[in-house]
Amino acid sequence: MSIQSDIKRLTAPDIRARKGGEPIVSLTSYHAHTAAIADRYCDFILVGDSLGMVMHGLETTVPVTLDMMILQGLAVMRGSRRALVVVDMPFGSYETSKEQAFTSAARVMKETGCGAIKLEGGSRMAETIRFLVDRGVPVMAHVGLTPQSINALGSFRAQGRDVADWAPIVADAHAVAEAGAFAVVLEAIAEPLAAQISKDVPIPTIGIGASAACDGQILVLEDMLGLSPRVPKFVKRYTELGPSIDKAVADYAAEVKSRAFPGPAHTYPLKTKST
Ligand code: KIV
């Protein structure tokens, strides 16, 4: 008897094959319940290390650990059935050597069952990407603004707004594609630069604050739902869940204080002989 699911999950090669085709839809998710919703619309779901800021209230992604990524990666795998699940490699889990990167990536893949990992960095990570891909680890790369380097960059500002700064970003995108990455996230870069990279590089570009010129788009789910207190300028909020949750909690608190909660409809009546 086969124990494989009837629903076939998308794979890294499926995403790779979408270059220049129908735009690729993706969101981050860190929970089973939001993953189940995202799964209905997204080609891939990213378990981003942004969970450090979004779920844990950290200032940056730097303190995020491999254990945190694995725990949330498992939840997203349980909640989703169709989308490719990509798990971020956190800061410090892959930069020392290509062997360290393989050990960390293999742990993430074995313990979560995800279909790919993502890591930050362009030319400097090319050798590592090649090593991982050659050993069966599908890699999504991430260039432009790389938040794990916040302490070296000094701020989360957009990259490549001056044409003089384009060359290293273009070189990064080419280097990760040549190394075998199946897609590359372009974060917070100017539109003409994103357009040039998307035209020239043979793998799908996934934009976040990088214009509609990319082959696909990604947003942090909590940012587009209006749940994050501070969001980058490029984020479009599709709803405002923060105020809705605030109102629900305030109404509940007021009802508890006035003893209006729980009313009869939410109370178990005493069992009588006839019931
Ligand atoms: O961690 C994350 O959520 C990301 C996206 C912003 C691409 O890397």
Side-chain angles (χ1 to χ4, degrees), residues 26-30 44 46-54 61 69 88 118 120 140 142 145 147-148 185-187 206-208 218-221 223 234:
S26 61
L27 283 168
T28 63
S29 168
Y30 324 116
F44 76 87
L46 174 69
V47 186
D49 62 352
S50 51
L51 65 80
M53 296 153 96
V54 176
T61 55
M69 298 310 304
D88 248 344
K118 177 168 83 58
E120 293 185 9
M140 177 175 285
H142 183 153
L145 174 63
Q148 291 175 7
V185 170
L186 304 180
E187 179 161 355
I206 310 296
I208 175 158
I218 186 160
L219 279 177
V220 171
L221 182 66
D223 290 355
F234 60 74

Side-chain angles (χ1 to χ4, degrees), residues 13-35:
D14 292 331
I15 301 296
R16 167 72 184 81
R18 297 270 291 273
K19 176 70 191 176
E22 190 193 352
I24 298 163
V25 182
S26 61
L27 283 168
T28 63
S29 168
Y30 324 116
H31 324 95
H33 295 139
T34 56

Side-chain angles (χ1 to χ4, degrees), residues 105-119:
R107 206 185 138 209
V108 168
M109 293 184 75
K110 277 170 183 275
E111 294 185 28
T112 67
C114 73
I117 60 95
K118 177 168 83 58
L119 53 78

Side-chain angles (χ1 to χ4, degrees), residues 30-31 48-61 63-65 67-69 71-72 222:
Y30 324 116
H31 324 95
D49 62 352
S50 51
L51 65 80
M53 296 153 96
V54 176
M55 289 182 69
H56 296 273
L58 296 168
E59 282 298 314
T60 73
T61 55
V64 173
T65 65
D67 287 340
M68 288 160 84
M69 298 310 304
L71 197 62
Q72 277 10 99
E222 281 76 357

Side-chain angles (χ1 to χ4, degrees), residues 2-179:
S2 165
I3 54 159
Q4 287 188 339
S5 158
D6 292 344
I7 297 173
K8 194 181 163 308
R9 258 189 208 277
L10 291 175
T11 63
D14 292 331
I15 301 296
R16 167 72 184 81
R18 297 270 291 273
K19 176 70 191 176
E22 190 193 352
I24 298 163
V25 182
S26 61
L27 283 168
T28 63
S29 168
Y30 324 116
H31 324 95
H33 295 139
T34 56
I37 297 169
D39 194 53
R40 297 207 279 275
Y41 307 97
C42 290
D43 299 302
F44 76 87
I45 299 174
L46 174 69
V47 186
D49 62 352
S50 51
L51 65 80
M53 296 153 96
V54 176
M55 289 182 69
H56 296 273
L58 296 168
E59 282 298 314
T60 73
T61 55
V62 171
V64 173
T65 65
L66 210 50
D67 287 340
M68 288 160 84
M69 298 310 304
I70 289 171
L71 197 62
Q72 277 10 99
L74 261 174
V76 169
M77 284 298 292
R78 280 189 211 108
S80 61
R81 299 197 301 167
R82 191 194 135 268
L84 170 68
V85 173
V86 182
V87 176
D88 248 344
M89 303 281 282
F91 180 67
S93 70
Y94 62 94
E95 302 90 331
T96 307
S97 65
K98 45 195 198 310
E99 289 80 8
Q100 182 211 20
F102 181 77
T103 304
S104 300
R107 206 185 138 209
V108 168
M109 293 184 75
K110 277 170 183 275
E111 294 185 28
T112 67
C114 73
I117 60 95
K118 177 168 83 58
L119 53 78
E120 293 185 9
S123 308
R124 70 186 161 85
M125 291 313 301
E127 197 188 336
T128 296
I129 293 173
R130 167 68 57 211
F131 189 83
L132 295 178
V133 172
D134 283 350
R135 285 158 182 76
V137 179
V139 179
M140 177 175 285
H142 183 153
V143 307
L145 174 63
T146 47
Q148 291 175 7
S149 304
I150 180 64
N151 290 308
L153 293 170
S155 78
F156 290 113
R157 72 173 175 280
Q159 307 289 299
R161 293 185 69 185
D162 188 336
V163 179
D165 300 332
W166 283 17
I169 304 172
V170 171
D172 278 345
H174 281 281
V176 298
E178 276 155 28

